Amino acid sequence: MTTPTLGPTLGLTDAAVTTATVDALVVGTMSGTEGPQLLPGSEEVEAAFDGALTGLLALLGARGKVDEVIKIPTRGAISAPLLVATGLGAVKGQPTSEQVRRAAGAASRALSGTSHAITTLSRIDLAAAVEGTVLGSYAFTSYRSHSNQAQKNDKPLGQMDLSVPAADDGGARQSLARALAIVESVTAARDLVNTPPNDLYPASFADRAVTMARSAGLHTEVLDEQALRREGYGGILGVGGGSSRPPRLVRLHYAPAEPRAKVALIGKGVTFDTGGISIKPAAKMEEMTMDMAGAAAVIVTAVLAARLELPVEVIATVPMAENMPSATAYRPGDVLTMYGGTTVEVLNTDAEGRLILADALVRAAQDAPDYLIDAATLTGAQVVALGNRTPGIMGTPQFRDRVTAISQEVGENGWAMPLPEHLRSDLDSKLADIANVASHRWGGMLAAGVFLSEFVPDDIPWAHLDIAGPAYNAGSPWGYTGKGGTGVPVRTLAAVLADIAERG
Ligand code: BES
Ligand code: MN
Ligand code: ZN
């Protein structure tokens, strides 16, 4: 079950799209004041329809809206038997990369089962067209048995040709290769998130991380339960203590020759979160298989940094544990001694992410990184505050805002959130240094961030990404996001590393 999910074959082409031997041609539409309009750059397609294409689309109800996909049989107007018009919404000036990415994703989903298509979206933004196409056609089928009819139904698009002015152009080839590396990482993160918790548990997750990292030449280190005990990782051991499958701490190290900076990545790796003794309700508990999405993201990002040979040293520190109720589970009322010595009173065993992250943050800071970034499906309060598509980004204000701006640029759309100092006293414990939850639920996302900040040295720029909602799509597919793991925040982390490589 470890075969990665492969996307469609992609190729650059500068041949005419109207005469290409393909099953479908994808063009973009945008919403104008009087119905849909074809995106600039596909004029020859309109001409091949004798100027009637936009009118036909309007007749079929097209408005050029986001996530709108209209299919027309071409009846010989062009060589492809099917034309697929995918909406970008209202376009002011140039379309944004995210508009192209989403439209490419929606088209790609609508083309599942098709062998071979060609698109003109790549003429507007090649990288975005590649990303949208591959991510939109993603389907996690490892657990479909071969006899199952459903496997045929989620067969993805086979091949997409990307129309560009010159197929042998070095710049185009480079952006294709870079976009492919990024989406492979996003896909790998989705695969990890979608793997069910009976197969993905701390030891097996650690094995997979090590295999991926070694193949890219990273140094790896795995602390098992004995090593964790020897070194005093009380948070990870406490949370993992209720499971028959013991916890791990994985460390992945990418060390290029002349790094511009050193970045520590930390990701929450709770392979299943029952809540522990403070057990969760049964409804939707199965979704807590995604509680390792932060871990998956930082693992694939460290590997990606090596693949792209970024001049940035990256050390991923990834705590992995299964949060289970049992006779050996930690309890409300327990006091844990974290790595580094801080004591924490556990008032709720379901606030487990911050406990394993605290250990990991302290360990990561020992490496004296220039930047510290953590990603975690940390709080239901994040989903209440910002919904399913908007990560909450906290941390030291300047670096938080830099990461937020980059998250916006790549279309993951994180939003900056404060860490109000007054929330700290809500975490005062009657017997330990700090409690893991407040006595009320207000500002729960911020309170979790304030708890983490206690374990981050004041002089290290830090960003904390709460991705509880955006990491997993339990609803309908949209744009390039199908059901299940989304791969958020891999593209943000990758772009932050690239930005640090460039600007320090
Ligand atoms: N893994 C959950 C957070 C979560 C909720 C992720 C919904 C994805 C979707 C986390 O461990 C948790 O249980 N948090 C508690 C904290 C509370 C006890 C302070 C929560 O948000 O309810
Ligand atoms: Mn929990
Ligand atoms: Zn959790």
Side-chain angles (χ1 to χ4, degrees):
M1 300 285 182
T2 50
T3 30
T5 306
L6 296 170
T9 310
L10 298 181
L12 301 176
T13 178
D14 49 21
V17 298
T18 48
T19 53
T21 314
V22 292
D23 304 305
L25 167 64
V26 177
V27 297
T29 55
M30 52 191 186
S31 49
T33 40
E34 282 138 41
Q37 282 180 291
L38 223 49
L39 270 189
S42 299
E43 286 75 13
E44 78 272 38
V45 184
E46 180 79 44
F49 277 81
D50 299 327
L53 178 55
T54 309
L56 285 174
L57 288 170
L59 195 62
L60 286 164
R63 288 168 56 193
K65 289 183 304 181
V66 171
D67 271 319
E68 169 191 282
V69 177
I70 306 279
K71 295 180 178 179
I72 313 188
T74 63
R75 304 278 294 148
I78 59 175
S79 57
L82 186 70
L83 182 127
V84 177
T86 184
L88 278 77
V91 172
K92 299 180 206 82
Q94 271 291 104
T96 65
S97 295
E98 181 64 2
Q99 284 181 306
V100 173
R101 207 180 281 117
R102 277 189 70 167
S108 176
R109 282 193 288 109
L111 285 168
S112 74
T114 305
S115 305
H116 190 178
I118 189 168
T119 183
T120 58
L121 288 171
S122 44
R123 295 173 176 178
I124 298 167
D125 189 328
L126 174 58
V130 169
E131 292 173 1
T133 299
V134 178
L135 296 177
S137 73
Y138 174 88
F140 185 67
T141 54
S142 311
Y143 287 81
R144 300 266 195 230
S145 72
H146 292 298
S147 58
N148 197 320
Q149 180 61 31
Q151 187 166 30
K152 278 189 196 145
N153 297 339
D154 46 33
K155 186 170 185 277
L157 169 67
Q159 179 176 340
M160 179 66 93
D161 293 344
L162 303 144
S163 174
V164 289
D168 58 1
D169 176 68
R173 287 180 178 279
Q174 221 182 336
S175 33
L176 171 62
R178 200 190 126 79
L180 274 178
I182 289 171
V183 288
E184 268 168 30
S185 305
V186 175
T187 303
R190 288 180 176 183
D191 282 351
L192 289 167
V193 171
N194 290 333
T195 302
N198 54 331
D199 281 342
L200 194 92
Y201 46 92
S204 67
F205 191 12
D207 285 346
R208 288 197 192 193
V210 165
T211 305
M212 290 166 78
R214 288 225 178 110
S215 75
L218 281 76
H219 301 286
T220 66
E221 179 192 10
V222 178
L223 279 67
D224 64 10
E225 64 273 33
Q226 285 94 9
L228 290 169
R229 209 168 298 124
R230 201 177 328 115
E231 298 186 26
Y233 286 93
I236 299 171
L237 288 165
V239 172
S243 174
S244 60
R245 303 187 291 190
R248 295 288 183 265
L249 180 66
V250 171
R251 304 244 310 150
L252 310 176
H253 191 178
Y254 164 58
E258 278 166 23
R260 182 94 197 250
K262 188 197 289 188
V263 179
L265 299 177
I266 295 96
K268 173 178 173 182
V270 171
T271 59
F272 193 73
D273 183 12
T274 65
I277 297 296
S278 315
I279 198 162
K280 289 182 181 294
K284 300 283 167 74
M285 197 201 273
E286 73 280 2
E287 289 176 10
M288 284 303 125
T289 181
M290 53 70 92
D291 212 14
M292 33 56 70
V298 308
I299 291 163
V300 303
T301 302
V303 171
L304 178 65
R307 291 250 152 83
L308 296 177
E309 297 179 15
L310 290 180
V312 178
E313 183 174 355
V314 181
I315 309 180
T317 301
V318 192
M320 299 171 175
E322 186 178 46
N323 189 19
M324 296 289 273
S326 80
T328 60
Y330 77 139
R331 338 165 226 312
D334 282 358
V335 172
L336 305 175
T337 302
M338 316 300 277
Y339 185 73
T342 301
T343 57
V344 178
E345 183 186 12
V346 177
L347 296 178
N348 188 320
T349 64
D350 197 12
E352 84 296 339
R354 61 197 76 183
L355 298 172
I356 69 171
L357 288 171
D359 276 354
L361 286 166
V362 174
R363 176 63 191 90
Q366 281 181 342
D367 301 324
D370 299 304
Y371 300 98
L372 222 153
I373 311 173
D374 78 79
T377 49
L378 203 58
T379 65
Q382 181 277 319
V383 196
V384 173
L386 295 173
N388 279 319
R389 300 186 188 180
T390 307
I393 307 187
M394 289 144 275
T396 50
Q398 208 183 345
F399 189 54
R400 171 201 67 195
D401 290 346
R402 182 174 172 187
V403 172
T404 301
I406 290 169
S407 174
Q408 290 281 323
E409 274 165 33
V410 302
E412 290 189 335
N413 301 328
W415 200 253
M417 285 284 149
L419 295 176
E421 259 172 42
H422 68 269
L423 294 183
R424 173 59 186 83
S425 59
D426 294 350
L427 297 170
D428 284 348
S429 161
K430 61 186 177 296
L431 75 166
D433 298 335
I434 190 170
N436 76 330
V437 295
S439 57
H440 60 81
R441 59 195 185 88
W442 313 121
M445 165 173 52
L446 317 183
V450 167
F451 179 91
L452 295 182
S453 73
E454 288 284 310
F455 299 88
V456 178
D458 290 335
D459 57 348
I460 305 181
W462 167 55
H464 159 56
L465 281 64
D466 194 336
I467 50 165
Y472 191 81
N473 181 22
S476 312
W478 56 282
Y480 50 87
T481 303
K483 279 185 174 295
T486 62
V488 173
V490 173
R491 291 185 302 109
T492 296
L493 296 177
V496 168
L497 292 183
D499 191 54
I500 291 171
E502 218 168 277
R503 307 198 294 131

